[in-house]
Amino acid sequence: MIKIENLTKYYGDLKAVDSVSFEIQKGEILGLLGPNGAGKTTIYRILTGYLSPTSGSIKVKDFNIQNNLIEIKKLIGYLPEAAPIYQDMLVFDYLNYVADIRGVDKEKKLAHLRELADLCSLNEVMHFSINELSKGYRQRVGIAHALMGDPEILVLDEPTAGLDPNQIVETRDIIRRIGKEKTIVFSTHILSEAEATCDRVVIIDRGKKVADDTVENLRKSLKLESFEKIFLALTKGKGH
Amino acid sequence: MKNIKHIFKKELKSYFVSPIAYIVISVFLLIIGWLFYSTFFLDRQANLTRFFSILPVAFAFVVPAVTMRLFSEEINIGSYEILLTMPVTFRDIIVGKFLAAVGFIGIMLIPTLFYAVTTTFLGKLDWGPVIGGYLGAILLGATFSAIGLLASSVTRNQVVAFIIGMAVCLALTLLIDFMLFFLPNFLVGIFQYLSANYHFQNIAKGVIDLRDILYFVSVSFVVLYGTNLIMQGKK
């Protein structure tokens, strides 16, 4: 579904992503993990067309980000970290606008908006302005934004960061529910969450890929019991 | 094309949900109304010449205030990332935002039609220069909007965007006109041609010359294309 090859991104002199390659199969839930500043967000931003890579390529289905960026954007629903959205818009107006941009059919639009409001439990806040919402609600608006128009692929950058335990459970439920039909790439710092939800994990450290396997296989190959220790072993002790 | 419409609608609407639209329109009408009517009865002439002669300077202040938020706000709060990852092209975004600003300026000009209407009560108004003046005002507003949009795309700070936009618009209206006095003769023609005020005043006389229209259209196009390059560079 998604094929990333030798992806490299420089910010000035800083190498944020260093020839990273991995693939994501259709229907898979992939956890992209790594310490802060490892380059996860940069990879998402390149994948979603916000940034362009210094070198390397990304293919989504048969589309290439160099030539068919619009087609790729149509296939991907993206939740950026901390879901920055228009402050002075009503939730309904915002989602309606996103539906228009993503080309949702006029007749189906209202039903689709209702469906997403139900799924993300947004019904009570549809007529609130976004800057009045709590962080949890804002995150859910972001998830509804990502799901708009039923994209085949979801890219979720730390969807549970900064939420309270109840909201984390709710968000995780939403991801699991939608994960049955979709290809999902997401990142999190809660390793138990990654272990419970992901089919496979890719671990990035300082721009380089250090692991790409199921948690079970990583356990066997590193002979470590807890995923936390595996994560530390892979990303620590190299001069942090 | 459809996306341009959606972005245009969203931007125009968001002007009117925040108080900024009402403040900008009120300040504009207050200042221009005061400057216009303060000498209107002394002139004893039933025309809008004075209104159109002060309009470019008023626009140089007001239009950058209208456009300053278009990109700066998005870059600042981070919604720029959302905008760019939706299935829209740079062209859709730029043209949509640009047209929203022009639309806003059109709305802002509607109450000034009251000046034209009341003037007809006092004497015989020649509508030629009035129609030309409004056409020129829209063209001038569009060109200044393009400049303001470019200024907004280079910074996350709305105040900086406003000041850059205002400085460039003022340079195109006042500065060049003042400079003409000091320039050697052979340069006067060239610099006069660069002046937005010169072309605007031509149209506002009621003489619609293709060269003047071409000036506004080409400056707007070049500046919008520059905005595109800046967005491209940010990637």
Side-chain angles (χ1 to χ4, degrees):
Chain A
M1 193 77 169
I2 303 175
K3 195 172 178 186
I4 297 176
E5 269 183 331
N6 297 320
L7 191 72
T8 301
K9 175 73 181 175
Y10 279 93
Y11 293 121
D13 287 334
L14 181 81
K15 209 176 202 177
V17 178
D18 189 354
S19 52
V20 169
S21 308
F22 61 92
E23 281 184 46
I24 303 155
Q25 306 305 325
K26 193 172 160 64
E28 195 175 28
I29 302 184
L30 181 95
L32 185 61
L33 311 178
N36 281 332
K40 293 165 290 176
T41 300
T42 306
I43 293 175
Y44 292 144
R45 286 180 168 172
I46 297 170
L47 177 61
T48 54
Y50 179 56
L51 296 173
S52 47
T54 309
S55 66
S57 76
I58 297 183
K59 261 185 142 179
V60 179
K61 280 185 155 177
D62 290 328
F63 301 119
N64 191 308
I65 47 162
Q66 262 85 23
N67 310 321
N68 315 92
L69 192 56
I70 289 287
E71 307 303 322
I72 291 182
K73 284 180 179 176
K74 281 181 190 159
L75 289 170
I76 297 179
Y78 176 41
L79 171 75
E81 199 179 350
I85 26 189
Y86 299 102
Q87 301 290 310
D88 49 10
M89 276 178 109
L90 302 182
V91 174
F92 177 82
D93 284 345
Y94 174 66
L95 293 177
N96 189 38
Y97 163 66
V98 178
D100 284 338
I101 294 272
R102 296 207 69 114
V104 177
D105 264 3
K106 262 218 168 94
E107 297 96 66
K108 292 181 194 150
K109 194 164 76 178
L110 214 58
H112 190 49
L113 286 174
R114 278 214 186 95
E115 185 191 336
L116 286 179
D118 282 340
L119 180 70
C120 305
S121 323
L122 285 170
N123 281 315
E124 314 92 80
V125 298
M126 282 310 251
H127 292 92
F128 277 56
S129 130
I130 289 168
N131 55 17
E132 295 170 338
L133 299 182
S134 66
K135 191 162 172 38
Y137 271 119
R138 234 176 259 203
Q139 195 74 356
R140 283 186 236 170
V141 175
I143 293 174
H145 157 97
L147 288 169
M148 190 63 72
D150 232 356
E152 288 178 50
I153 302 163
L154 286 175
V155 177
L156 311 171
D157 194 355
E158 299 194 18
T160 56
L163 302 182
D164 69 34
N166 297 330
Q167 293 164 334
I168 290 180
V169 172
E170 277 170 38
T171 310
R172 206 181 294 161
D173 279 349
I174 296 174
I175 294 174
R176 241 186 247 136
R177 242 180 296 165
I178 54 186
K180 283 174 191 148
E181 303 125 47
K182 294 186 191 302
T183 308
I184 298 185
V185 193
F186 86 105
S187 49
T188 174
H189 286 309
I190 307 170
L191 295 173
S192 57
E193 177 176 294
E195 197 179 350
T197 6
C198 300
D199 298 321
R200 190 161 59 94
V201 295
V202 167
I203 301 177
I204 307 270
D205 184 36
R206 270 160 290 168
K208 284 201 170 77
K209 185 174 89 172
V210 291
D212 178 357
D213 215 331
T214 62
V215 177
E216 208 42 51
N217 284 346
L218 286 176
R219 253 194 205 115
K220 278 181 200 152
S221 64
L222 289 164
K223 300 198 173 61
L224 287 168
E225 202 35 56
S226 83
F227 187 31
E228 208 162 70
K229 280 190 180 141
I230 295 171
F231 185 84
L232 287 175
L234 287 167
T235 60
K236 219 182 131 191
K238 289 173 203 158
H240 256 294
Chain B
M1 272 322 262
K2 255 187 169 170
N3 287 334
I4 293 179
K5 191 184 88 188
H6 296 314
I7 291 173
F8 166 78
K9 258 168 60 182
K10 183 228 148 215
E11 291 295 341
L12 193 60
K13 200 173 165 189
S14 63
Y15 273 124
F16 290 95
V17 294
S18 71
I20 191 165
Y22 305 100
I23 295 171
V24 166
I25 290 178
S26 318
V27 169
F28 171 73
L29 291 175
L30 208 72
I31 290 175
I32 207 142
W34 176 60
L35 287 174
F36 175 53
Y37 280 113
S38 62
T39 58
F40 180 71
F41 294 101
L42 298 175
D43 289 348
R44 301 187 65 83
Q45 279 175 357
N47 60 40
L48 296 186
T49 315
R50 190 163 166 74
F51 167 66
F52 289 120
S53 73
I54 52 181
L55 197 62
V57 178
F59 266 13
F61 286 98
V62 171
V63 175
V66 171
T67 55
M68 65 183 184
R69 53 168 280 280
L70 287 172
F71 278 117
S72 300
E73 190 183 33
E74 300 227 30
I75 297 168
N76 196 28
I77 63 171
S79 58
Y80 189 66
E81 185 174 355
I82 295 240
L83 183 67
L84 257 60
T85 53
M86 289 206 277
V88 291
T89 59
F90 284 167
R91 192 201 61 189
D92 295 340
I93 298 170
I94 293 170
V95 176
K97 281 176 183 282
F98 168 71
L99 291 178
V102 178
F104 180 85
I105 290 160
I107 293 170
M108 187 172 78
L109 281 171
I110 290 171
T112 65
L113 291 171
F114 174 78
Y115 305 162
V117 174
T118 46
T119 304
T120 58
F121 299 148
L122 302 169
K124 201 178 166 312
L125 180 68
D126 181 3
W127 281 95
V130 176
I131 292 165
Y134 277 102
L135 175 74
I138 291 294
L139 288 169
L140 182 75
T143 302
F144 283 6
S145 295
I147 292 167
L149 197 63
L150 180 91
S152 183
S153 74
V154 297
T155 170
R156 59 167 59 222
N157 186 328
Q158 293 194 36
V159 178
V160 174
F162 172 70
I163 292 170
I164 297 173
M166 186 190 64
V168 177
C169 293
L170 272 181
L172 283 179
T173 46
L174 284 182
L175 191 65
I176 291 179
D177 288 8
F178 285 138
M179 260 169 50
L180 292 180
F181 185 73
F182 301 102
L183 285 173
N185 264 336
F186 67 98
L187 282 177
V188 168
I190 299 168
F191 274 84
Q192 199 169 41
Y193 193 82
L194 289 175
S195 161
N197 194 32
Y198 167 75
H199 293 282
F200 174 72
Q201 298 307 342
N202 278 351
I203 299 178
K205 277 177 209 149
V207 187
I208 292 163
D209 187 335
L210 200 62
R211 274 173 300 181
D212 299 320
I213 293 175
L214 202 67
Y215 167 85
F216 288 115
V217 172
S218 55
V219 172
S220 304
F221 181 80
V222 168
V223 175
L224 290 177
Y225 188 73
T227 311
N228 188 338
L229 292 181
I230 286 171
M231 289 177 75
Q232 210 69 259
K234 275 196 207 307
K235 287 185 88 182

